[in-house]
């Protein structure tokens, strides 16, 4: 796998107000956001620079993410940027590790994604992110 960098840390929250409270307390600003239909969630990325990693707030409106951590939310995943999400999927599956999706799905703000199931990632849900163009998050 050709890992480029830590792309973001994903945090599920049950409502936008909790996200806004966190942003205010720790002086974060929103960079971009977009609804991701595959996961029934508004995904909000914080502004960041070359010396820091973005946070992604996942605000589900239905589906299994609404029940994450008993509905309270919390840190959900780490995301690693890679050159080719499909190549990563083939590599891990050839080694007997399973991904969440059969093929990469569109993510927010110009990326495609797939997740390595936690049982194959030392108990951590790892998202692989491929940027589709220079303006992607």
């Amino acid at each position: 796998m050709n890992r480029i960098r830590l792309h973001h840390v994903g945090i599920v929250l049950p409502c936008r107000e909790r996200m806004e409270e966190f942003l205010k307390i720790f002086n974060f600003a929103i960079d971009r956001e977009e609804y991701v239909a595959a996961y029934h969630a508004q995904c909000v990325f914080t502004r960041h620079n070359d010396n820091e990693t973005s946070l992604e707030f996942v605000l589900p409106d239905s589906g299994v993410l609404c029940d994450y951590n008993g509905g309270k939310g919390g840190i959900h995943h780490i995301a690693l940027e890679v050159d080719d999400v499909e190549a990563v999927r083939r590599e891990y599956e050839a080694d007997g590790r399973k991904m969440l999706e059969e093929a990469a799905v569109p993510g927010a703000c110009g990326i495609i994604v797939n997740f390595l199931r936690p049982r194959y990632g030392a108990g951590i849900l790892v998202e692989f992110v491929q940027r589709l163009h220079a303006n992607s998050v």
Side-chain angles (χ1 to χ4, degrees), residues 2 4 7 19 24 28 30 44 47 52 89 106 109 120:
N2 183 14
I4 297 174
H7 187 271
M19 177 198 72
K24 184 177 178 181
F28 280 94
I30 294 173
V44 181
R47 191 173 300 133
E52 62 185 9
R89 181 190 58 77
C109 307
Y120 304 109

Side-chain angles (χ1 to χ4, degrees), residues 7-121:
H7 187 271
H8 68 267
V9 174
I11 302 166
V12 174
L13 287 177
C15 64
R16 189 171 190 95
E17 292 77 21
R18 292 240 341 254
M19 177 198 72
E20 290 171 350
E21 179 183 4
F22 181 93
L23 295 174
K24 184 177 178 181
I25 291 169
F26 296 104
N27 197 29
F28 280 94
I30 294 173
D31 183 23
R32 297 186 203 179
E33 65 179 280
E34 185 175 321
Y35 189 80
V36 177
Y39 299 116
H40 310 283
Q42 187 74 12
C43 296
V44 181
F45 289 88
T46 60
R47 191 173 300 133
H48 63 285
N49 59 42
D50 291 341
N51 298 321
E52 62 185 9
T53 299
S54 180
L55 299 177
E56 176 196 27
F57 293 96
V58 180
L59 309 171
D61 60 16
S62 64
V64 298
L65 289 175
C66 288
D67 297 326
Y68 183 70
N69 194 23
K72 296 181 283 189
I75 295 176
H76 183 259
H77 65 272
I78 64 164
L80 303 176
E81 185 177 338
V82 296
D83 288 326
D84 186 339
V85 169
E86 282 302 300
V88 169
R89 181 190 58 77
R90 289 189 300 272
E91 177 184 332
Y92 280 109
E93 289 185 349
D95 199 28
R97 294 180 173 99
K98 304 279 189 218
M99 303 295 278
L100 185 62
E101 308 291 347
E102 291 182 18
V105 298
C109 307
I111 60 177
I112 58 173
V113 304
N114 206 337
F115 292 83
L116 182 65
R117 294 180 179 271
R119 71 178 139 226
Y120 304 109

